[in-house]
Amino acid sequence: MSYRILLVCMGNICRSPTAEGVLRKVIQQNNLGDAVEVDSAGTHGYHAGEAPDIRTQRAAMVRGYDLSQLRARKVARQDLDYFDLILAMDRSNLDNLQRLATPEQSRRIKLFMDYAKNFDDDEVPDPYYGLGHGFDIVLDMVEDAAQGLIEEIKQKLGRG
């Protein structure tokens, strides 16, 4: 059985590719590569085909996450059927996804930070227009939520 997760932000060049890279590593560390598939996308197609923002890549690389092979894409309608869990980085993206979704699909759409253990924030802030430290804050938040998410997935798959 494969469990499929889609991580979504607005442009798919900062937050969601960071979450994809972190989650991929956590999946490997937990020997779940055979059971869990992860991808990311944006609610807008502004950057389709582009690599993640260089500041995002730099911050991620310092912590051992290589995002260089990822490419931005826009969420497609078929994604709402394909993925078992669709996680938005903030409420705006959550709302955009909910507008696209049928009631059945809607039940699989949540906020990524719902899985965080150490952060009370329900949104991952967009670092794109901010200063460099925003990318590190995003990583801190994403690493926390990724750990919580993987714990739940392990239980769901009977590997906890």
Side-chain angles (χ1 to χ4, degrees):
M1 177 191 130
S2 183
Y3 192 74
R4 299 177 298 259
I5 303 165
L6 182 65
L7 304 148
V8 180
C9 68
M10 187 169 62
N12 194 213
I13 59 165
C14 294
R15 295 170 292 172
S16 57
T18 296
E20 180 182 351
V22 168
L23 202 50
R24 282 181 188 275
K25 189 166 190 173
V26 173
I27 287 165
Q28 291 309 116
Q29 290 169 338
N30 284 274
N31 298 312
L32 294 171
D34 63 323
V36 183
E37 177 184 336
V38 65
D39 195 5
S40 65
T43 54
H44 295 74
Y46 309 133
H47 301 284
E50 294 178 22
D53 183 285
I54 193 67
R55 298 165 296 172
T56 295
Q57 289 191 57
R58 213 175 292 131
M61 189 56 83
V62 167
R63 296 196 196 184
Y65 307 108
D66 182 2
L67 310 181
S68 64
Q69 299 306 306
L70 303 180
R71 293 296 175 265
R73 71 178 186 86
K74 186 177 178 188
V75 172
R77 280 205 182 273
Q78 58 266 31
D79 289 330
L80 302 178
D81 284 324
Y82 182 76
F83 289 94
D84 299 299
L85 185 60
I86 300 167
L87 299 172
M89 295 296 130
D90 63 32
R91 292 198 177 283
S92 172
N93 292 299
L94 181 75
D95 292 344
N96 286 334
L97 289 165
Q98 295 286 10
R99 278 196 292 277
L100 282 176
T102 65
E104 169 62 31
Q105 294 166 334
S106 199
R107 288 194 280 277
R108 298 191 306 263
I109 301 170
K110 299 178 181 178
L111 285 170
F112 183 56
M113 288 305 290
D114 288 350
Y115 297 92
K117 305 281 189 222
N118 301 311
F119 284 88
D120 292 332
D121 311 67
D122 60 355
E123 297 185 311
V124 179
D126 189 346
Y128 189 77
Y129 293 107
L131 302 173
H133 71 282
F135 295 90
D136 292 318
I137 293 167
V138 165
L139 273 160
D140 292 341
M141 295 175 85
V142 163
E143 287 174 337
D144 182 28
Q147 287 301 327
L149 175 59
I150 215 71
E151 287 171 25
E152 186 169 302
I153 290 169
K154 282 166 73 172
Q155 288 179 338
K156 209 174 262 218
L157 297 174
R159 297 195 191 182

